[in-house]
Structure formats: C-alpha cells, structure tokens
Amino acid sequence: MTRAVIIGSGSEIAPTRVTNAQMARIMDTSDEWIRERSGVEQRHFATPEIATSDLGVAAAGKALAAAGVRKEEVDLVVFATMTPDHFFPGCGTILQHKLGLRPVPCFDIRQQCSGFLYGLQLADAHIRSGLARTVLLVGAEVHIGFMPWTRENYAYALGTSDVPPTKEEWEWNSRFRHLVVLFGDAGSAVVLRASESEERGVLDQELHGAGADYEKLYVPGTGFKHRPYTDAEQLKRGDHIPVMDGRYVFKMATTSMVEVARSVLEKNGVRPDQLKLVLMHQANKRINEYCAKALGLREVQVPHNIHKYGNTTAATIPLLWDECARDGRLRPGDLVLMVAFGAGMTWGASLVRA
Ligand code: ACO
C-alpha cells in the first residue's frame, strides 16, 4: 500500500523577539500572568517587509534541503494559514512562484490551528490515490497584522522609543490583552513522499469541524459579509482583531483533543505508552498539560515550545516536529500522534510513523 512519509522538515522564525516584559510596557499585563496562564515567555514578530508567504518560502526551502528533494520534484503545494498575504490569491501560488516550483496544483487551507492536520490529510489523500508523489505542506503565520498597538507603542515596547502609550492607547491595547499575548509569527514546512514502506508514513487521521459556535473565536470585521468588506469604522471598533472567548475555547479544546486522540488510538490498537511523541498544537501549555494527564502520557512524550514562540497557529505542529527531528527526539520509525484544536471550530488527530 502507498503511504505518505514525512521525509524532511524546516522552519523559519520571525526576526523580532518580544518578551512578556516588553508586552507589559504597552498594556496592562505581566510576565507572571502570561507565563502562568499560557506558558508563553516570549514570541517573535515579523518585520514590516515580511509576509506569511515569505516565512513559508524560507521554511519550505529548508524542508526541501533536509529531505534532499529538488524543486522540480514537488508536484503539489498545500499551504495552511489564517493570516494570508492577501484575501486572494491564497499563499499557495505565491509560494510556488517565489520558490520557483513547476506550475503544480496549490491549495490553501483555512482551518486555523488545525490547518496543518487538515493539510496533512489532503496531502496524504493525494499521495495514496496516486495524484501526487511529492508534496510540500506548509504552515505559516504573520499575526502581527492584527495586533492593536500603534507603531509608536511597539517601538516603546521594544525600547527604541521613549514615548509611552497615552492613557487611551494603554486601555485600547489592554482590551485585547487576553488574546494578543498568546501569538507569535513563524513558518514551518514538511515534505511528504509516496512510499511503499509498511513501516513508515501517515497511518490514520480523524478530522472534525463544527461551526455552531464559530463566533467564540473569529474575526468579526473585514470580511465579505460586510459591504464594503472593510472600512474605517470597522478598524475603529477593532473588528479586524479576533474575538476570543478564552474560557470557552479552553474547555472545547481540552474536551475535543482528548476525545479525538483516544478515538484514533483505539481505532489503531495503540496504547498511549507506545507513542514516542505526542505533538499537540501549542495554544496554551495548560491545555496540553490537561490533555497529557487525561491521556496518561509521560512528560517526556509531550514536547512543548510555546514558551519560545507562543501560538504560531498553522505552524506550531510542523515547528515542533522540525525541532524534535533536528535535536534527535524524533527519529525515523518513531510512532507519533499529532493533535490540534482551532477556530472554526475544527479539531483532529493524526497517527504517523516517522
Ligand atoms: N494579563 C493580565 N491579566 C489578564 C490577561 C493578561 N494578558 N488576560 C486576561 N486577564 C485577566 C482577565 O481580565 C481576568 O480578570 P478578572 O478575573 O479580573 O476578570 C483574569 O485575567 C482571568 O481571565 P480568564 O480569561 O479567566 O483567564 P484564563 O485562565 O482562562 O486564561 C487564556 C485566558 C490564556 C486566554 C485561556 O483562556 C486560553 O488559553 N484559552 C484558549 C485559547 C486558545 O486555545 N485559542 C485557540 C487557538 S487560536 C486559533 O485557533 C486562532
């Protein structure tokens, strides 16, 4: 049977490191609160000339190099992001052009934190059906575009300006504090290749989507539901910044991630202790600690990197894969479960033999 094997990975972290203490210079928050409630210690943000496609291209180039695959060999691009360069076209074709790939099919995936797993299923299906042999799967995000602060506030946070926020600016930034402290910018990519190996590859996947409560985590404005789709009033209200009911999302994430992980393990007759690693989406360290406990996993099985990068949405799972592959925690043949929950609401799990 043909399977899709991850044969290489690569990542690109945005250049500007911003600590929690720097965030606390421009809004009512603290390093202690952010660490305790989310596990984030710092994040990186893109500079103005860097778009999501750029982080994706850099990550994809490294993934191809790690896989030893030439650009001409890629015959499908899948790009997962919730922060595309433009409303249209998607980032897939932009990456195809910037990387100099052949004019292959390019899909964009709009499933937020579950985007990488949705992309993995699409890539796997193409490979199993024989439609593609070598797939580039990318997750990348530039969240800084929806951060509420002014350029001057940001310069003050970074220590390159002496002008602190006004009272109004401080209050405005603080209105979004539960959300903005969580995110960071990065790109990450994997190369998947068709293989006849019984030993390695994507073994099983389960994806879900349920939109009834989508307004618990969404961007209310700047969408084509509005006529015109964007205007100054929406920006003034902050409708371009995501709305998030943190407690609701926390509860849904823990319940759904545990359920879907159990379901995939049971279907495949795999016990939690047989997994080498469980790569969970990095939205909140407490969510993952809760899930790890509920699933009976040992600490060493559940790597985290949220403390370094924050939530990089579609990039978190491949980024974690890439880090573990590079530092030797993940080796060919290891059994890995990936689990995610994100806006939509969307969630899923993938069982993979590395
Ligand atoms: N700094 C200081 N205080 C804060 C901050 C902050 N950054 N943010 C919120 N607070 C305050 C609140 O105002 C509240 O104060 P009050 O008690 O005086 O009312 C208090 O802290 C507790 O707030 P909660 O919202 O109950 O805090 P909680 O422990 O739930 O943590 C958090 C909030 C971190 C947002 C958490 O709920 C969470 O991580 N939720 C899930 C997020 C997630 O998974 N998102 C999905 C991924 S994103 C995507 O798919 C696009």
Side-chain angles (χ1 to χ4, degrees):
M1 190 193 354
T2 307
R3 286 192 197 283
V5 178
I6 296 178
I7 57 166
S9 58
S11 303
E12 180 76 7
I13 309 298
T16 308
R17 187 174 78 99
V18 182
T19 63
N20 291 344
Q22 287 174 315
M23 297 288 260
R25 285 167 64 83
I26 55 170
M27 71 186 79
D28 184 13
T29 190
S30 66
D31 177 43
E32 192 191 4
W33 191 97
I34 303 170
R35 271 175 204 256
E36 270 179 21
R37 301 290 180 125
S38 71
V40 179
E41 295 175 14
Q42 59 174 44
R43 75 286 295 143
H44 290 74
F45 285 129
T47 42
E49 73 284 3
I50 297 176
T52 293
S53 64
D54 298 312
L55 294 177
V57 166
K62 292 179 193 174
L64 289 172
V69 166
R70 286 177 294 114
K71 290 174 189 174
E72 304 75 54
E73 294 175 76
V74 174
D75 43 26
L76 176 70
V77 169
V78 183
F79 198 128
T81 184
M82 70 165 193
T83 52
D85 298 11
H86 304 283
F87 266 118
F88 71 85
C91 282
T93 51
I94 298 176
L95 176 133
Q96 176 278 333
H97 167 66
K98 287 184 179 172
L99 258 184
L101 306 177
R102 290 182 295 117
V104 296
C106 300
F107 285 93
D108 270 56
I109 302 276
R110 294 289 309 272
Q111 308 304 345
Q112 297 63 248
C113 302
S114 310
F116 181 78
L117 297 191
Y118 268 73
L120 188 61
Q121 174 142 310
L122 188 64
D124 181 49
H126 271 75
I127 286 179
R128 278 176 195 261
S129 65
L131 276 172
R133 190 175 136 67
T134 307
V135 182
L136 192 49
L137 170 57
V138 183
E141 307 285 354
V142 167
H143 299 103
I144 190 156
F146 65 61
M147 293 298 154
W149 49 74
T150 61
R151 271 189 204 147
E152 295 71 25
N153 289 174
Y154 189 46
Y156 185 73
L158 298 179
T160 55
S161 157
D162 295 331
V163 184
T166 62
K167 184 170 173 288
E168 289 72 30
E169 288 167 345
W170 177 270
E171 281 167 6
W172 174 257
N173 297 342
S174 301
R175 185 182 134 192
F176 306 100
R177 63 182 180 171
H178 64 293
L179 175 94
V180 298
V181 298
L182 301 177
F183 292 96
D185 300 342
S188 195
V190 298
V191 178
L192 293 123
R193 165 131 311 157
S195 163
E196 301 307 318
S197 159
E198 283 299 305
E199 304 298 314
R200 298 178 66 194
V202 178
L203 303 178
D204 195 17
Q205 292 199 269
E206 188 177 316
L207 298 177
H208 296 277
D213 291 330
Y214 83 90
E215 288 173 342
K216 300 282 188 190
L217 179 54
Y218 81 126
V219 181
T222 65
F224 285 86
K225 189 178 168 188
H226 303 279
R227 316 285 190 273
Y229 74 92
T230 188
D231 58 42
E233 285 307 306
Q234 291 180 40
L235 299 183
K236 217 163 123 192
R237 285 196 301 271
D239 285 355
H240 58 298
I241 300 169
V243 162
M244 181 176 78
D245 180 340
R247 286 185 203 183
Y248 174 90
V249 176
F250 194 100
K251 198 158 173 260
M252 272 290 284
T254 47
T255 313
S256 314
M257 285 167 68
V258 171
E259 259 176 34
V260 75
R262 279 199 183 123
S263 169
V264 169
L265 292 179
E266 276 165 24
K267 262 191 281 169
N268 290 276
V270 174
R271 293 189 319 271
D273 62 279
Q274 292 175 302
L275 295 164
K276 175 72 189 300
L277 293 178
V278 179
L279 306 182
M280 293 192 200
H281 171 59
Q282 306 285 297
N284 186 319
K285 197 171 177 204
R286 286 190 298 136
I287 291 179
N288 295 353
E289 285 168 350
Y290 176 93
C291 295
K293 198 169 166 208
L295 292 167
L297 297 164
R298 285 167 290 125
E299 216 173 291
V300 65
Q301 292 174 284
V302 190
H304 300 282
N305 60 13
I306 191 169
H307 55 293
K308 291 190 278 186
Y309 309 123
N311 181 358
T312 58
T313 304
T316 73
I317 291 182
L319 188 53
L320 205 49
W321 177 288
D322 187 41
E323 280 196 342
C324 293
R326 283 172 196 278
D327 69 18
R329 276 178 289 175
L330 177 58
R331 294 179 191 282
D334 286 342
L335 195 55
V336 179
L337 185 71
M338 301 183 241
V339 195
F341 179 88
M345 306 295 174
T346 55
W347 64 101
S350 306
L351 185 65
V352 173
R353 178 78 68 184

